[in-house]
Structure formats: C-alpha cells, structure tokens
Amino acid sequence: MREIKNNSKSYCTFKTRVLIYSQQMKHAKKLLCLALALVMSLSLVACSSSSDGKADNSNAGAGIDHDREVVYGSASLITNFNVKYVTAQNDLQALDQVYDALVRKINGKFCGQLADSWEISEDGLTYTFHINPNAKFSDGTDITAEDVEFSYEFVRDQCDGWSWLYKTLDDVEAVDEKTAVFHFSAADASRLATMTSIQYGSVRSKAAMEKYGDDYGKTAESVVSSGPYVITDWKENEYVKFEARDDYYGKKPDLTHIKYVPISDVNAAVVALQTGELDLYFNPLSGVALDTVKTADNVAISEALSCRNESVYMNCESEVFSDVRMRRAVAYAINKEEALEVCGSGQGQVVIYPCDLGEQVTGNPDFVPSHTYEYNVEKARALVEECGNVGKTVTIKSYNTEPYQTLSVWLQGSLSAIGLDAKVDTMERSAFLDQLINGEVEICPFSWSDISFDFGSAVGIYMNSNCIGMSGNYGRYNNPRADELIALGNSASDVEARKGYYRELMEIYMEDVPSVAMYAVINAIAHSNQLVMEDANRYEMARVHWAE
C-alpha cells in the first residue's frame, strides 16, 4: 500500500493539534476507565446476587453449556423483517438469521447456500441456479424457483432504495421447482457479489408475503424462515429470540438458542461482555472500549479487515459544498492518520480512495491518482478564503454513538483550523438517517459497509446517481460520466478492463471529491471466549461456534 505523508509546511500545526488532542484523549480515557471500573464492580455485585440461572462463562475451559441461550447485540433493534424496510446495517444482523441467499461470500470465496450449484453464460446475461432439493421454509413448504423469482422481482419492483441493482433484470424463469434462470439485459461482473447480501439477495416465501401483504415482517408469526433459525419471541425495542430449526436443509447451527438485543451505549456493552450478560457485540470496538475488553479473561476478539470506509461526506447540493473548491479544502484539512489513531484507535488501514485495499478487492485499480490531498492546512485555508467562506457556519451532523461522536468533534477541530465556524449536532440514528436521506445534512462523518469485496459493488455506490440518499451516495453526487464508468466497469468480464474503467472513475472521484475516504475499518468483534467466529465480517450466528 502507498503511504499518505504529511506536508512538512504543516508539521508545526499538525504537531500542536495532535498534542492537545492526544492529551485530551488520554485524560478522557483515564476518566472513562475509572467509570467503567466502577460500573463493572457494581454490575458484578448485582450479578452475584442474581438468580436468573445464566451460566458463568469466565473460563471457557471450565466446560460449556451448549444448550444455554447466547445473547448477541448491536446498536439498534430491527423493526421489520421485510427487506423493503431495511434502514440500517444493524437490521441485517437479524435478517441474516432467518433468510438464506442463493450464494454467499465467506472469507473471500463464493459459496453455495440455497444453490447447490450455478452457471453463468459466457455473455454474462444468463444465470442458472440449482436449488438444494431438501431446502424448505420453516412452515414446511418447499423452497422453489417460484420463491426465487418472487424474491428478486420484489426487490426490483418494490424496494425503491436499491431496486436499481436489478434494473437490468428482465425476468426470472422457474424452469422447474428447483431450477431458476435469471435473464438480464446487460452483463455485470459485480452481480454475483451483490446477490450474496441478505438485503439484496435473500429468498423469501412467496405464499407468506402474498398472504400478509404489507404486514409481512411486522410480527414473529408473519415471518417464514428460509434460513437456519426461526423467530420464537419478539418484544419491540427489547429483544428478538431465535431457535435453530430442526428441519433446516443445511448444517444445524451449534448455537441452538440465541437472543438479539439493542445496546446503543458501547460502555454498557463492554460491561455486559465482561459480566457475561452479553456473549457477542456486532458493533466493532475501538479505543478505550477495545482496550478494556482485551483485559477481560472471559472475552475474545475476532478481527477482519473490512470494506467499511470511514469517510467525510459533503452534500454537493448544499450552499457551501456545491463548490468543489470547498470540498477540496476539506480534503486538504483532513489528516487521515490522525483520524485513524484518534477516532479509530489505529484499528484500520488508511486509504486514498474508497476500498483502496490492494488485491483484496476484486477490480481495484490499485494506483495513486494524479490528484491527491496530502494534509495541508495552508492550502485548505487558502481555498476557503478564495471562496469567501472564512467564518462561514457549517453544521456537522451524525449519530450520537461511537465512533461518530468522536469523529464529529475531531472533524469540528479540523474545519475550525481552516477558518470555518464548525458546529456539531449528533442525534439518535433514525433522526439522523431521515435528515441524511432528505438532503438536510451538509457534512457528516459516516461509513458505507460492503461485504462483497468487489470494487464495482462496493465503490460504485459512492458515486452512482441512483444511490443518492439512502443507498450510499450520501454526498448526493451526480455525474453522468461517473454513472457511465460504473456501468462499463460492471459490465466488463475481464478484470483488467474493469480496473481501467474504475481507474478513470477514481480520477473523477479525486477531482470532484464527493466524499473523503479516510480509512478502512478493521472489524474488532468482541465475544465470549466460549465462542469462535468463522468470519468477523459476517453476521450469521450459524457461523459462530462453541469453542469446544
């Protein structure tokens, strides 16, 4: 990988700001560690007098109760199991338990799930999937090619936020009960990677969705599972309970009883992990939280480099950031190494552009663009002055949870240093997402996650005008040439040809700066040492196993 080096002219400013920030962070860490220690001691006292019967998992070697309930959590709880209403990455942590896709991508390799095998025509227009003959839904009915047809055409026709993914899908033909043939009007080399996502590629019961209509997914009773688990209990805003299916066509999960809970406060999650009240936390940890759980005897950490890029998005339609010079000013104002260290505790890899992760990402052009933005406060401030925006107020909005609270405050300091009057407004996630989708956010630190590790699928979203708003183009960027290059890159079957199109796309990205990609996150997933994860980038609890 290439290094992004600091401009020597800015060294004094950089050194002073990092020193002050570093001292503040060290002080904050000491206070937080003391607070965590106090909360932990109180929680442990409370647990010692508890009679709820939960197993003590402080020592994995002491024997594991394989029949106990495993509790996992994330920042929010799903509100609807209809993929049409997915609003956050956290929703997938519930959907992944009850829905299977035709194919998955595990540790970088495509694997059949519902599909035992598949073929793709030489022209890339026809995909034929052969469904496992033993695959059944949780209501006992067979999973058929008609269900596959219904599921994909449902996304194409009714899921407005991501229907564009299948706009070239002419139809799905149910040749027989267990053979589905997809007919496309254009080739797309990233298509199979897209289909691995449960949001875009899950197979659902046609009969159940037609029976319940828009009420499908609102109650446990209405959800029919194609995956390894079935919902047994669901209490709004509190938990969802799942049980492993005895009639599942695949390997039965090791974890028979699982419970999904919302924990938005990362400090509360840390304490719950240490006391054993929480077995796994899907929100990646960093900073004090990660340092703290690493000292716990009963907690293990599974890590994986992800395609989750922490970035700064600027609204290209807003008053201030419709001027590309202001977006470039922000790019120069951002010290990516500092962001990674201060906000991500070094848990990641600095990137020049989104998913700049070498050969790990299929189709990545892996080059240094002709226009880059080394950290340079003087250049940034000169652009702000040139635009007549010194003293201009800008409001940074984001989630009120980590890492976005820290990123927002850090970004405020970076923008203030170049002459802007930066304010911070963090809020509950649904309120923030509503404003983001409606174009009411002018600048924000945020990320887009992708599990495909395909450049077209992962990065095209940042610039595709079809994705403005909810689907990843949070900068509301619109450029017909960028749309054309995305389409050309996705339609090319030759990897080197794809890289050529994406290279030009990234040159445009660096010139127009719809966002500033800072670093790719190393997912650090904390969990009980009684558990082992196959892949820390995946949310399927069926791929989590007992340690012994």
Side-chain angles (χ1 to χ4, degrees):
M1 291 298 299
R2 287 84 53 197
E3 281 191 3
I4 302 177
K5 298 181 179 179
N6 299 318
N7 188 296
S8 58
K9 294 181 181 178
S10 306
Y11 179 74
C12 292
T13 305
F14 162 75
K15 185 177 179 181
T16 302
R17 187 151 64 96
V18 172
L19 179 60
I20 294 171
Y21 211 102
S22 172
Q23 290 170 341
Q24 291 172 340
M25 290 301 291
K26 284 179 182 177
H27 181 61
K29 285 185 178 182
K30 287 179 182 178
L31 292 176
L32 186 51
C33 283
L34 289 171
L36 278 171
L38 178 60
V39 174
M40 284 160 46
S41 63
L42 292 173
S43 298
L44 287 167
V45 169
C47 281
S48 67
S49 61
S50 172
S51 59
D52 64 3
K54 179 161 177 62
D56 177 8
N57 64 352
S58 61
N59 188 345
I64 299 173
D65 177 5
H66 287 193
D67 196 46
R68 74 173 179 87
E69 182 178 73
V70 173
V71 181
Y72 76 98
S74 65
S76 63
L77 193 70
I78 192 168
T79 59
N80 198 315
F81 278 79
N82 187 335
V83 296
K84 181 179 180 178
Y85 300 107
V86 170
T87 59
Q89 194 78 7
N90 296 325
D91 291 349
L92 306 184
Q93 294 154 12
L95 296 177
D96 260 319
Q97 316 319 327
V98 297
Y99 297 135
D100 276 358
L102 291 168
V103 292
R104 293 287 201 166
K105 198 171 188 180
I106 309 299
N107 292 318
K109 295 182 179 180
F110 288 109
C111 307
Q113 194 167 46
L114 275 169
D116 276 347
S117 61
W118 63 93
E119 300 93 43
I120 303 173
S121 63
E122 285 190 16
D123 60 8
L125 300 179
T126 305
Y127 287 58
T128 303
F129 293 93
H130 305 282
I131 303 166
N132 186 300
N134 300 316
K136 294 181 181 293
F137 288 111
S138 57
D139 64 0
T141 60
D142 285 341
I143 298 176
T144 69
E146 283 193 8
D147 297 300
V148 173
E149 175 186 9
F150 175 85
S151 298
Y152 278 85
E153 292 184 357
F154 179 85
V155 173
R156 181 195 64 189
D157 300 335
Q158 297 195 44
C159 298
D160 295 340
W162 41 93
S163 60
W164 62 272
L165 287 166
Y166 296 113
K167 66 180 180 181
T168 62
L169 174 61
D170 292 334
D171 62 67
V172 180
E173 179 187 0
V175 175
D176 56 45
E177 278 206 346
K178 294 293 185 176
T179 307
V181 180
F182 289 65
H183 300 286
F184 295 93
S185 59
D188 185 341
S190 67
R191 181 170 289 131
L192 196 63
T194 298
M195 296 172 80
T196 64
S197 165
I198 216 65
Q199 183 175 355
Y200 312 136
S202 61
V203 175
R204 301 167 303 285
S205 167
K206 176 183 178 181
M209 293 196 73
E210 288 182 339
K211 174 183 176 181
Y212 288 100
D214 206 46
D215 288 331
Y216 180 88
K218 293 181 179 179
T219 62
E221 295 73 23
S222 68
V223 179
V224 175
S225 170
S226 61
Y229 290 95
V230 64
I231 303 171
T232 56
D233 190 17
W234 180 7
K235 193 165 185 179
E236 188 177 356
N237 298 322
E238 290 190 28
Y239 61 78
V240 182
K241 290 187 177 184
F242 306 88
E243 188 160 333
R245 290 173 53 193
D246 289 327
D247 62 344
Y248 184 55
Y249 69 95
K251 181 185 176 183
K252 186 175 179 178
D254 281 359
L255 313 182
T256 304
H257 314 285
I258 60 175
K259 180 181 179 181
Y260 175 40
V261 298
I263 307 182
S264 60
D265 184 346
V266 68
N267 299 323
V270 167
V271 172
L273 284 161
Q274 292 177 310
T275 60
E277 296 168 87
L278 184 66
D279 292 294
L280 187 150
Y281 193 54
F282 270 125
N283 278 39
L285 297 181
S286 60
V288 175
L290 182 59
D291 293 340
T292 303
V293 295
K294 280 183 175 179
T295 66
D297 293 336
N298 65 323
V299 179
I301 306 294
S302 292
E303 294 187 342
L305 183 62
S306 73
C307 268
R308 171 181 165 185
N309 293 262
E310 293 296 355
S311 305
V312 174
Y313 290 88
M314 294 155 284
N315 188 337
C316 298
E317 297 173 354
S318 66
E319 178 190 354
V320 173
F321 297 111
S322 58
D323 190 330
V324 69
R325 294 174 298 173
M326 287 301 299
R327 302 199 297 272
R328 290 172 181 168
V330 172
Y332 280 122
I334 289 176
N335 185 314
K336 298 181 181 184
E337 288 85 355
E338 183 184 344
L340 175 58
E341 186 60 36
V342 173
C343 307
S345 302
Q347 283 288 120
Q349 183 172 310
V350 168
V351 296
I352 296 177
Y353 50 80
C355 290
D356 173 27
L357 300 175
E359 294 182 357
Q360 295 179 75
V361 178
T362 303
N364 176 21
D366 197 20
F367 78 119
V368 177
S370 55
H371 196 153
T372 59
Y373 298 89
E374 289 74 21
Y375 174 61
N376 192 317
V377 172
E378 287 80 5
K379 276 189 178 181
R381 190 175 181 91
L383 285 167
V384 173
E385 291 175 353
E386 183 180 313
C387 295
N389 282 330
V390 173
K392 186 78 171 179
T393 298
V394 295
T395 302
I396 302 161
K397 296 182 179 181
S398 198
Y399 291 159
N400 59 3
T401 55
E402 294 298 350
Y404 299 107
Q405 287 194 124
T406 300
L407 274 167
S408 296
V409 173
W410 172 83
L411 180 59
Q412 180 184 31
S414 298
L415 298 184
S416 297
I418 63 172
L420 294 172
D421 179 18
K423 311 291 185 185
V424 171
D425 181 12
T426 58
M427 61 197 78
E428 189 269 331
R429 46 192 309 121
S430 62
F432 170 70
L433 288 172
D434 284 345
Q435 292 192 28
L436 187 64
I437 293 166
N438 294 324
E440 298 167 10
V441 175
E442 59 180 334
I443 186 169
C444 66
F446 205 44
S447 65
W448 176 261
S449 297
D450 183 89
I451 60 172
S452 71
F453 281 79
D454 182 277
F455 202 81
S457 178
V459 179
I461 283 172
Y462 280 76
M463 301 175 72
N464 195 323
S465 61
N466 288 307
C467 305
I468 287 176
M470 187 62 194
S471 293
N473 185 346
Y474 302 121
R476 308 182 78 81
Y477 177 75
N478 193 335
N479 182 327
R481 179 57 180 166
D483 289 347
E484 182 183 6
L485 287 168
I486 293 166
L488 288 169
N490 289 352
S491 64
S493 58
D494 179 74
V495 174
E496 292 306 315
R498 295 185 74 198
K499 289 180 180 180
Y501 293 123
Y502 298 145
R503 184 185 182 103
E504 183 181 345
L505 182 67
M506 288 301 96
E507 290 284 12
I508 294 174
Y509 176 87
M510 299 302 291
E511 283 291 324
D512 289 357
V513 202
S515 65
V516 179
M518 297 186 293
Y519 56 90
V521 175
I522 292 176
N523 280 341
I525 307 299
H527 55 83
S528 163
N529 67 348
Q530 294 187 352
L531 303 175
V532 176
M533 299 184 75
E534 283 185 26
D535 186 342
N537 281 325
R538 306 296 308 190
Y539 298 138
E540 299 123 284
M541 291 298 286
R543 298 189 187 279
V544 179
H545 308 284
W546 294 115
E548 64 174 33

